[in-house]
Amino acid sequence: MAGWNPFKRKAPTKAARAETQAQPSIVKPLIREAHRRANDAGGLPRFNTTASDQMSGRGGDRFSAVRAKLRHAFTPSQPVADRRLFAGRDDVLKTVIRAIEDQRLHVVLYGERGIGKTSLLHVLSQAANEARYIVVYTSCGANSNFDETFRAAAAEIPLLFHSGFSPTAAETEKGSTLADLLPSEPLSPRKFGDLCAKLTGTRVLIILDEFDRAESGSFRRDVAELIKNLSDRLGRVQLVLAGVAADLTELVEHIPSIRRNIFALRVPKMSEGEVMQIVANGEREADLKFDSQAGAFVVEVARGSPYIANLICHHAGHAALDQGRATVSPVDVASAVDRAILEFQGRIPTPAQTQVRRLFDQGRQDALAMSARAALAADGVFDGRDIETANEITARKAQDAIEVLVGERLLRPVQGEDVNQRYAFVEEGLPTLIWMMWAQRNLNREAPPAAPARTATAVS
Ligand SMILES: Nc1ncnc2c1ncn2[C@@H]1O[C@H](COP(=O)(O)OP(=O)(O)OP(=O)(O)O)[C@@H](O)[C@H]1O
Ligand SMILES: [Mg+2]
């Protein structure tokens, strides 16, 4: 094999072929693969689309166009911004719009990570824009502070809508905004509220997404005070806050003073129909078909999470295309689950993973699967009753499952005032990982998986 160059696009010479034929049979497949790569433009993976989202024109297969569309059709790492891809949530959206429009309330949307809060906010913003609202969207960060956040918001509101300036005033004509009226000292909720009270002829929605990320207590307090201030003065500015939280008080402190002024909504899990709509929207966008069993698998595995649904559909679509098929079948969903598990593993500390894997390997996965199911249904924190209902099992079996996992240090008790002791997995990502691992092992690659309660015999 002297002089072999994997980057050269040349067919092997006669002498090289003779040499290949003379090799012992175990080496032959390796040499064949080496030649295949040598003839394959270097064989290294390439990007299929250019930075401007055009097909790169080389290295593509007959499904390159479908692949490109697939990327847009299922976006597990991004919120949905395109209305055509936004599935379900009609009731949530309708309720929020009514609260804003009819009751003139401020809105707080809360819920678990990946449940679809930001996507909902995007669609709500579009609806508000259509109704000529001025919409200011801000994503909060650890260092968010009142002055910066609301100065930036004021800069989006034209002076034209300030009752003290006529539309023909010089300031209005040169495109000034409310920010131009702000004092140089740090902005207070009262000052910003005063300014908002002078607005006329428009309505403003100020959206503060990822509100849970803001670490400053004074920022949260000032926002609560602003809500109170705006409500008392029938202002034309309404706030929409969104963030990860199991309940409202976890997200918004000082809630007693503003409870009457806000409409709070926990973004629920998606129904099976809504998850199916994610699949159907993606099929339409990507020119790809999910056979009915593959669709049923996605619904079963997603358990109401739009994030998991997008992730599995994305991987399953690519798995089908890799096999030269434009129809996704259950086997592709199974391989998507394998890939998702690999991804989740990277996000969870190794000791907890090892523990879980050991229980699976020992065939003691029922306690894990049943508790994971309850955790996923209850946004992470659950009690024995939740395990009972999620799995349709007896109280005794649910209690056994808890004891096994507390003993294994995979569940921890959560302090609270509830009558029943509540628990959470020691790592946030564990319920999803466990559920995927359960699906991976129980997923008959030809038929939809049976629920753990139905397959569970006894909790080991
Ligand atoms: N209505 C929907 N239709 C289709 N896909 C959705 C929908 N809602 C959310 N998704 C998908 O679910 C995933 C999570 O959505 P999103 O980012 O909106 O959730 P989030 O609650 O804001 O998450 P986080 O708590 O991490 O901020 C994304 O992949 C998004 O594409
Ligand atoms: Mg978000």
Side-chain angles (χ1 to χ4, degrees):
M1 293 300 292
W4 180 71
N5 177 356
F7 297 103
K8 214 164 171 182
R9 270 174 156 271
K10 222 168 107 189
T13 60
K14 209 171 168 185
R17 272 202 306 273
E19 193 184 338
T20 303
Q21 278 150 14
Q23 302 294 331
S25 62
I26 193 159
V27 185
K28 273 190 184 167
L30 296 178
I31 295 176
R32 259 203 307 277
E33 172 61 11
H35 280 145
R36 190 193 63 73
R37 290 196 67 164
N39 290 328
D40 188 20
L44 290 175
R46 291 178 185 279
F47 285 77
N48 287 328
T49 39
T50 66
S52 57
D53 296 337
Q54 304 298 312
M55 300 301 301
S56 73
R58 59 172 183 210
D61 56 24
R62 69 195 169 96
F63 289 126
S64 294
V66 185
R67 260 180 226 285
K69 287 194 240 166
L70 192 57
R71 252 167 252 140
H72 174 70
F74 300 112
T75 54
S77 54
Q78 280 159 10
V80 178
D82 182 339
R83 257 179 156 175
R84 286 179 316 152
L85 292 173
F86 184 80
R89 302 303 198 189
D90 293 15
D91 289 345
V92 174
L93 210 51
K94 213 182 287 170
T95 320
V96 169
I97 291 175
R98 291 285 86 86
I100 293 173
E101 191 167 49
D102 296 342
Q103 297 174 267
R104 297 289 171 217
L105 289 169
H106 304 271
V107 173
V108 179
L109 286 178
Y110 62 97
E112 64 184 278
R113 193 155 289 295
I115 197 66
K117 301 176 291 292
T118 303
S119 304
L120 261 168
L121 293 177
H122 282 323
V123 176
L124 174 69
S125 302
Q126 288 170 24
N129 271 322
E130 275 169 15
R132 307 269 174 108
Y133 277 61
I134 295 171
V135 181
V136 184
Y137 175 91
T138 310
S139 188
C140 299
N143 298 324
S144 285
N145 67 65
F146 191 86
D147 182 73
E148 216 174 278
T149 306
F150 286 90
R151 243 173 230 283
E156 309 256 334
I157 307 171
L159 209 50
L160 171 70
F161 298 109
H162 188 292
S163 55
F165 292 81
S166 83
T168 51
E171 293 89 340
T172 319
E173 288 197 333
K174 72 177 198 302
S176 299
T177 67
L178 287 202
D180 298 313
L181 302 182
L182 296 177
S184 54
E185 68 259 21
L187 187 57
S188 68
R190 168 170 289 276
K191 181 75 205 165
F192 188 76
D194 283 350
L195 214 50
C196 291
K198 302 220 170 71
L199 287 178
T200 175
T202 190
R203 292 199 172 270
V204 182
L205 274 193
I206 300 180
I207 298 177
L208 303 182
D209 195 5
E210 317 236 18
F211 192 64
D212 56 296
R213 291 184 61 204
E215 285 170 3
S216 153
S218 69
F219 175 65
R220 288 161 173 255
R221 204 166 36 246
D222 284 351
V223 170
E225 200 177 319
L226 176 63
I227 288 181
K228 185 92 189 81
N229 189 304
L230 291 171
S231 310
D232 289 349
R233 310 171 74 175
L234 306 173
R236 302 183 75 85
V237 177
Q238 286 163 276
L239 298 197
V240 179
L241 314 186
V244 177
D247 62 46
L248 177 61
T249 46
E250 210 176 84
L251 187 67
V252 185
E253 295 162 48
H254 320 286
I255 202 71
S257 60
I258 55 168
R259 198 182 288 279
R260 278 184 306 114
N261 310 120
I262 59 172
F263 175 78
L265 186 77
R266 175 169 162 267
V267 180
K269 287 261 189 273
M270 280 190 153
S271 66
E272 294 191 352
E274 288 177 316
V275 174
M276 275 314 289
Q277 204 185 324
I278 292 184
V279 178
N281 287 348
E283 282 182 313
R284 186 197 60 223
E285 287 303 303
D287 276 339
L288 197 69
K289 183 100 195 85
F290 279 67
D291 78 21
S292 59
Q293 288 207 337
F297 274 149
V298 173
V299 169
E300 181 72 20
V301 172
R303 301 210 65 78
S305 159
Y307 162 64
I308 302 286
N310 270 274
L311 181 70
I312 297 295
C313 286
H314 171 94
H315 287 324
H318 281 290
L321 296 179
D322 287 347
Q323 298 298 318
R325 284 183 274 106
T327 299
V328 178
S329 50
V331 72
D332 303 313
V333 180
S335 89
V337 170
D338 295 346
R339 293 223 22 199
I341 289 173
L342 283 179
E343 285 181 31
F344 291 138
Q345 279 173 343
R347 298 178 204 157
I348 295 174
T350 319
Q353 269 186 55
T354 314
Q355 189 90 325
V356 165
R357 203 159 281 286
R358 185 174 53 75
L359 288 177
F360 266 98
D361 291 344
Q362 292 172 351
R364 298 165 68 200
Q365 67 266 36
D366 286 345
L368 282 173
M370 293 194 294
S371 304
R373 231 182 168 197
L376 291 173
D379 288 359
V381 182
F382 58 96
D383 59 22
R385 295 284 299 276
D386 292 320
I387 303 187
E388 273 178 69
T389 13
N391 299 281
E392 297 169 27
I393 56 167
T394 62
R396 168 87 221 149
K397 270 192 176 166
Q399 205 48 46
D400 285 349
I402 290 174
E403 276 165 27
V404 169
L405 299 188
V406 170
E408 296 286 344
R409 292 175 199 272
L410 284 168
L411 281 190
R412 61 176 172 84
V414 175
Q415 304 309 329
E417 285 152 20
D418 309 272
V419 188
N420 295 329
Q421 175 64 57
R422 305 206 303 154
Y423 298 87
F425 276 90
V426 289
E427 296 293 339
E428 191 191 333
L430 271 181
T432 309
L433 175 69
I434 293 168
W435 181 249
M436 293 282 139
M437 286 174 66
W438 187 89
Q440 185 189 43
R441 285 162 201 241
N442 290 271
L443 206 109
N444 171 345
R445 289 173 188 238
E446 297 306 325
R454 276 170 256 140
T455 57
T457 43
V459 174
S460 21

